[in-house]
Every structure is written in C-alpha cells, then in structure tokens.
Amino acid sequence: MEGADKIYVGIAQHKTRVSAGLLVCSALGSCVAVCLYDLSAKIAGVVHILLPDAESSVRHDNPDKFADTGIITLIAELETLGAARKKLRAKIAGGASLFDFGPWHRKSEDGSSLALASIGEKNINAVRKTLRELGIPIMASAVGGNYGRSVYFNTENGVMLIKSARYGDKSL
C-alpha cells in the first residue's frame, strides 16, 4: 500500500474510484466508514458517516452525513459508474465510544445504549440496518471499542487496512 494513490474522504463525504488505489478515512472516532465495492467491476466507494439518520437532524442539506441517506447516495453513484448492486459488498469500521460519561451512559432493557455518549453505537446500528435493508452483506467490520482508527481501503482487491495507535495495523 505504500506509495499507492490515495483519495481522502472527509467527514460527511463520499468518494468513489474506478481505478486501483486507496480510499482513506482518517481519525475515525464515533464516525463510521462504510466501504462498498464490486470487485468484478473494480469499482469502489467510501462514505464517512457522522450521524445515524437524517430524520433526527434539523438540517438535511448533506445526505453523506447520515447512515440512512449517505449509503444510498454512494450506491447510486457506484451504479452510475457501472457497479452492480447485487455484487456490492461492504466493510465497515469506526463507531467508537471515546468518552466515559459514567451514569449518563446507561443501557435500555434490550441492551442498546440510551445516552448521547453512545453516538458511535447508534452509527454502527444504523449502518448495519441500512445495509441489511438494501441487501448488501457486510464482509468484515472493525467497529466499537473506545479508540480511534483510520481506514485505508484498497479498491483493487477490497482489503481494508485499519490503523490505530493503540492496536497497530489490521487487514480485513
């Protein structure tokens, strides 16, 4: 991957590639990087999700900000570039809970978190739900925990390299 052509994907953005190289999301905390790819067509894209759903936001001017709308926007562009939805696969990373809010971070009866501090968990759940509803399987994930990470998605072979200061590098 050293020396590979990199395209950086900022918060609440998506980027696509139809050529070999890397799509990079740096310093993911509670955000989730959703990497979608059609290996047979060599077409890939990444969306850097900030929040779980557009419905809970006052402003809806940027669909890439939300799991429910950002994934759909990315899929539409991938299909325009020649990817087949039925061949799309996903890899996801991020969704950390970086702060301990003690008693403010509590669980509901079903085990889901109720606190604002759990935005990472809410992002993960929204991404999984959206992908499931769209029929796109998740092939690998590195989500949750209490540490940040960066994603380097190789568009040629579908390998997602996760880098973290705490745990080093991991390829999925």
Side-chain angles (χ1 to χ4, degrees), residues 7 17 24 30 40 92 98 117 122 154 158 166:
I7 295 176
R17 289 195 81 124
V24 180
S30 61
S40 61
I92 63 174
L98 299 177
K122 290 176 184 177
N154 187 321
R166 183 177 290 177

Side-chain angles (χ1 to χ4, degrees), residues 15 17 19-20 23 28-30 34 52 84 88 100 115 122 132-133 144 155 161:
K15 301 284 176 141
R17 289 195 81 124
S19 59
L23 290 165
L28 293 166
S30 61
V34 179
L88 286 176
D100 180 7
K122 290 176 184 177
R132 183 176 52 254
E133 288 172 353
T155 60
L161 175 66

Side-chain angles (χ1 to χ4, degrees), residues 11 26-32 48 50 94-102 105 113 115-124 142-150 163-167:
I11 296 171
S26 298
L28 293 166
S30 61
C31 291
V32 175
H48 190 144
L50 178 65
S97 180
L98 299 177
F99 305 102
D100 180 7
F101 288 91
H105 188 80
S113 182
L116 179 60
S118 67
I119 191 67
E121 182 181 336
K122 290 176 184 177
N123 283 340
I124 294 164
V143 295
N146 61 354
Y147 61 95
R149 60 203 99 187
S150 294
K163 293 184 175 210
S164 76
R166 183 177 290 177
Y167 296 106

Side-chain angles (χ1 to χ4, degrees), residues 18-161:
V18 293
S19 59
L22 299 175
L23 290 165
V24 180
C25 285
S26 298
L28 293 166
S30 61
C31 291
V32 175
V34 179
C35 306
L36 298 179
Y37 58 100
D38 175 342
L39 269 185
S40 61
K42 300 283 189 208
I43 298 170
V46 173
V47 61
H48 190 144
I49 302 297
L50 178 65
L51 295 169
D53 61 81
E55 193 174 290
S56 63
S57 178
V58 178
R59 296 184 62 195
H60 303 95
D61 56 334
N62 179 2
D64 289 339
K65 189 184 227 180
F66 310 102
D68 58 346
T69 54
I71 292 170
I72 291 169
T73 300
L74 177 58
I75 290 170
E77 185 169 333
L78 292 170
E79 289 177 323
T80 299
L81 294 170
R85 185 181 298 213
K86 66 181 180 188
K87 292 184 179 181
L88 286 176
R89 301 294 178 258
K91 293 186 178 182
I92 63 174
S97 180
L98 299 177
F99 305 102
D100 180 7
F101 288 91
W104 294 103
H105 188 80
R106 56 192 174 86
K107 301 283 183 178
S108 68
E109 290 178 13
D110 68 357
S112 62
S113 182
L114 298 172
L116 179 60
S118 67
I119 191 67
E121 182 181 336
K122 290 176 184 177
N123 283 340
I124 294 164
N125 291 338
V127 163
R128 286 182 171 151
K129 177 180 183 263
T130 301
L131 290 170
R132 183 176 52 254
E133 288 172 353
L134 295 169
I136 298 173
I138 298 172
M139 307 308 289
S141 66
V143 295
N146 61 354
Y147 61 95
R149 60 203 99 187
S150 294
V151 168
Y152 295 77
F153 187 72
N154 187 321
T155 60
E156 185 171 17
N157 59 17
V159 172
M160 181 173 64
L161 175 66

